[in-house]
Amino acid sequence: GGYRVNPYVVKEILDVNDRLLARVDPPVASESAPRVIDARNAWVMDSMLQDVVRRGTGLRARALGRQDIAGKTGTTNDYIDAWFCGYNPQVVAVAWVGFPMPRNLGKGETGGTAALPIWIDYMRTALKGMPETFLPRPEGLATALAGDGSREDFYYVEFQPPELEEPQMEDDLFGELFTPLTVGTGNRRAAPPSPVSQTNHPPGHTAPVEERALIPPP
């Protein structure tokens, strides 16, 4: 959610009589942890990482049958390392595949192929019986239809996208872009010269070069 939390290994220490000797009191997201990025930034990034599972390289994770899964595959050069880092709002897990002494895993051993199946097996147990949860969408986000019409993209309300206008193909615009190079016609829509015949120049000489220009439609 955009908060900084400190990782810890030992939650608490008890003696043989179950008396508490020490306990970690870590900052809790949305309660005591400091916010480090805009909530909208965190939500949009989470949405993007959910798309990795919905339609990207983490597609296999859909086998879990959950809609609150997000993550990212990773593959280093020459297939040395294969990763999948994935989560839902309660559980985060990372799977890595590689050799102790780094070497090629084999062609095609990507994060989505080698590491993701391990992550899926773990999360199938870790998330069993846990209800789906989602980060609440914060205020200050608006949507715009993507250029291909396939989805909606999100943006900050203070950064409104420019209004898109249909280009106006005015005569003056065509005149500026496609002015014929013939001189003296007094007409910007003048037709280009006729193609040069292959017989109107002396044998053994190339045909004369004539300039051509595009003509705008009427």
Side-chain angles (χ1 to χ4, degrees):
Y3 299 92
R4 186 179 70 217
V5 295
N6 299 322
Y8 58 93
V9 176
V10 179
K11 181 178 181 179
E12 59 184 19
I13 301 173
L14 307 174
D15 67 11
V16 294
N17 298 313
D18 289 336
R19 290 182 302 180
L20 182 66
L21 301 179
R23 173 180 290 165
V24 173
D25 183 23
V28 179
S30 77
E31 295 180 12
S32 56
R35 174 169 291 286
V36 291
I37 62 173
D38 191 305
R40 298 173 297 176
N41 189 320
W43 191 90
V44 169
M45 181 58 70
D46 179 64
S47 175
M48 294 170 62
L49 292 175
Q50 287 182 30
D51 276 352
V52 173
V53 173
R54 293 183 183 128
R55 58 181 65 91
T57 54
L59 193 64
R60 290 185 178 185
R62 294 180 62 181
L64 293 174
R66 302 181 65 100
Q67 300 299 315
D68 61 344
I69 296 296
K72 185 69 183 74
T73 56
T75 310
T76 55
N77 291 356
D78 298 322
Y79 304 106
I80 300 297
D81 303 277
W83 302 79
F84 187 78
C85 307
Y87 64 93
N88 87 332
Q90 280 75 41
V91 180
V92 179
V94 179
W96 168 81
V97 177
F99 290 101
M101 296 300 291
R103 62 187 176 89
N104 188 290
L105 290 168
K107 185 176 181 180
E109 294 298 327
T110 63
T113 300
L116 181 54
I118 301 170
W119 184 91
I120 292 172
D121 284 346
Y122 171 79
M123 291 299 254
R124 183 176 283 115
T125 299
L127 299 178
K128 186 177 181 179
M130 185 179 294
E132 292 186 349
T133 55
F134 302 89
L135 289 178
R137 176 175 162 181
E139 295 182 357
L141 285 175
T143 60
L145 195 63
D148 60 2
S150 63
R151 67 186 188 285
E152 285 188 324
D153 286 335
F154 298 93
Y155 64 92
Y156 288 12
V157 293
E158 62 265 35
F159 301 127
Q160 292 288 331
E163 292 292 334
L164 297 179
E165 298 180 358
E166 291 294 329
Q168 299 298 319
M169 294 301 187
E170 302 288 348
D171 285 349
D172 289 343
L173 176 62
F174 274 113
E176 293 296 328
L177 295 177
F178 305 120
T179 302
L181 298 180
T182 52
V183 180
T185 64
N187 182 0
R188 282 183 164 176
R189 294 180 182 269
S194 300
V196 177
S197 167
Q198 295 300 311
T199 61
N200 63 358
H201 59 277
H205 292 73
T206 58
V209 176
E210 296 192 27
E211 298 289 350
R212 298 289 197 271
L214 294 175
I215 301 176

